Amino acid sequence: MCQERSSAKRMNNCNREGVCCGEMQMVCLTDFEEYAKEHLSKATWDYYAAGADECCTRDDNLLAYKRIRLRPRILRDVSVSDTRTTVQGTEISFPVGIAPTAFHCLAWHEGEVATARATEALNTCYITSTYSTCSVEEIVAAAPNGYRWFQLYVYRDRKLSEQMVHRVEALGYKALVLTVDVPYTGKRRNDIRNQFKLPPHLKVKNFDGVFQETAGPEEYGIPANTLDPSISWKDVYWLQSITRLPIIIKGILTKEDAELAVEHGVQGIIVSNHGGRQLDGGPASIDALPEIVDTVQGRIEVYVDGGIRTGSDVLKALALGAKCVFIGRPAVWGLAYKVRL
């Protein structure tokens, strides 16, 4: 990442003659990260940046890429390049999609609607979060030709999950991304310190009207203890019984679970530690990728998220066997920058 410029230099850049040139052009994701940190509220920034406990895994997601070295080959005729690839049989313009991230409206009032328009324009894959501040219907209406998957949790009330599956299937979402690493929410210390809650004008729109208003505890916009900690491999079979959509499991970090995923007939794996937000002390996603690719042996597609900040990071992930990468936090940094445009 290029961290050589301070925010002050970016916002008050002058040429050698001392003539101010206005705001410096944003040239890498770190520029957008610094801008978002300056312009978002502390509670919002802390929510997006949060990792579990001491944030060791969150930080290692980035550091792990820096430990990987490229072995460049020369004189290979690179005069023509083509970044297109396919995911689940659909062509996208380049192998970078948007990972499921919650509450985009905290960064920019159009939120997930803006994200959907951008991914449609770029012809890449957008994994819509269950915890969106725009509904799945609003997202589809804003970008009707976009290529979208839907990120799903399994709830104690299975009917709630089942209704969401049928809802997105009817809307034309092309796959379900079953997140399996949140039997309980990770301990994100700054969220606890800040007593994080959505502001009154925002809500988890996909559950609008689903939960009765109560005085009970709330966790990230919905009643606490809604997620089902008893989720197991049998729920993959249950999900297959209620939908024809491809099922991609997000949150696998070991070869043993990768083999089980293949045996249970899923169509893809996202190697992910939830951005370091769930289990602190687990491996960086990119470090877990090679053993999973080696185990799967091309039987299903393997993707990865977590810590990807540069084109070189994308290259490293692809070289280690990922079909596509997904980025999360950088998308909300981009939305935060829209505040000034």
Side-chain angles (χ1 to χ4, degrees):
M1 295 186 296
C2 48
Q3 295 178 329
E4 68 275 12
R5 289 184 304 279
S6 69
S7 302
K9 287 180 181 177
R10 240 191 2 258
M11 302 309 293
N12 188 26
N13 181 45
C14 298
N15 64 20
R16 291 182 179 179
E17 288 72 37
V19 178
C20 288
C21 306
E23 185 175 332
M24 185 180 289
Q25 186 176 2
M26 311 291 268
V27 298
C28 65
L29 289 181
T30 303
D31 293 340
F32 289 93
E33 179 182 14
E34 292 175 357
Y35 183 95
K37 186 173 184 179
E38 288 184 3
H39 290 83
L40 294 173
S41 71
K42 181 181 184 302
T44 296
W45 170 260
D46 285 348
Y47 168 75
Y48 288 140
D53 292 305
E54 296 180 300
C55 301
C56 296
T57 298
R58 180 201 68 179
D59 296 344
D60 200 39
N61 272 347
L62 282 79
L63 294 172
Y65 278 96
K66 298 180 185 300
R67 294 192 291 264
I68 299 170
R69 293 293 176 263
L70 301 171
R71 297 182 66 249
R73 297 293 305 277
I74 61 170
L75 301 175
R76 309 300 290 183
D77 187 0
V78 292
S79 58
V80 177
S81 61
D82 187 349
T83 61
R84 291 176 298 174
T85 190
T86 60
V87 288
Q88 298 299 315
T90 295
E91 184 180 285
I92 56 176
S93 63
F94 70 131
V96 181
I98 301 300
T101 44
F103 307 154
H104 287 196
C105 285
L106 285 173
W108 172 244
H109 68 89
E110 289 189 320
E112 291 84 2
V113 162
T115 306
R117 290 192 189 115
T119 50
E120 180 186 59
L122 288 173
N123 186 31
T124 194
C125 181
Y126 170 33
I127 307 178
T128 301
S129 171
T130 288
Y131 286 77
S132 294
T133 38
C134 300
S135 70
V136 287
E137 289 82 5
E138 290 169 332
I139 290 166
V140 170
N145 298 313
Y147 180 59
R148 284 174 294 270
W149 301 346
F150 182 76
Q151 177 260 338
L152 179 74
Y153 291 103
V154 173
Y155 297 100
R156 293 176 187 269
D157 180 358
R158 289 295 193 278
K159 283 294 182 184
L160 190 59
S161 299
E162 185 173 352
Q163 288 166 2
M164 281 303 310
V165 169
H166 294 322
R167 190 170 158 191
V168 299
E169 191 167 12
L171 286 167
Y173 282 74
K174 300 303 183 184
L176 295 175
V177 177
L178 177 63
T179 295
V180 295
D181 56 2
V182 191
Y184 296 97
T185 303
K187 185 179 180 183
R188 302 161 196 170
R189 295 178 182 179
N190 280 340
D191 285 350
I192 297 169
R193 293 184 182 109
N194 296 332
Q195 298 183 326
F196 175 83
K197 284 188 176 182
L198 283 175
H201 68 284
L202 295 180
K203 61 181 69 175
V204 182
K205 288 291 287 290
N206 289 321
F207 294 136
D208 195 11
V210 172
F211 300 108
Q212 293 182 348
E213 292 190 18
T214 66
E218 180 183 290
E219 192 171 62
Y220 297 111
I222 67 172
N225 300 315
T226 302
L227 294 171
D228 191 349
S230 75
I231 183 173
S232 68
W233 287 103
K234 71 177 184 294
D235 290 300
V236 175
Y237 289 141
W238 168 74
L239 197 55
Q240 290 166 336
S241 75
I242 64 171
T243 183
R244 295 182 178 180
L245 291 177
I247 296 170
I248 296 154
I249 293 188
K250 177 179 180 290
I252 286 180
L253 292 168
T254 65
K255 61 184 180 181
E256 292 85 358
D257 283 339
E259 182 61 41
L260 283 168
V262 173
E263 292 175 3
H264 281 77
V266 304
Q267 283 70 45
I269 288 170
I270 300 179
V271 181
S272 173
N273 54 35
H274 215 101
R277 296 166 71 84
Q278 279 301 109
L279 176 65
D280 202 26
S285 297
I286 192 65
D287 287 342
L289 177 64
E291 73 171 66
I292 291 172
V293 169
D294 186 58
T295 297
V296 168
Q297 290 290 311
R299 289 176 288 174
I300 59 176
E301 292 185 350
V302 178
Y303 321 107
V304 66
D305 70 13
I308 297 144
R309 298 292 184 269
T310 68
S312 293
D313 293 343
V314 177
L315 174 60
K316 291 170 182 177
L318 298 182
L320 289 172
K323 181 72 169 174
C324 179
V325 308
F326 290 90
I327 58 174
R329 292 182 179 98
V332 295
W333 301 339
L335 288 172
Y337 187 66
K338 290 195 68 162
V339 173
R340 283 283 297 250
L341 297 181

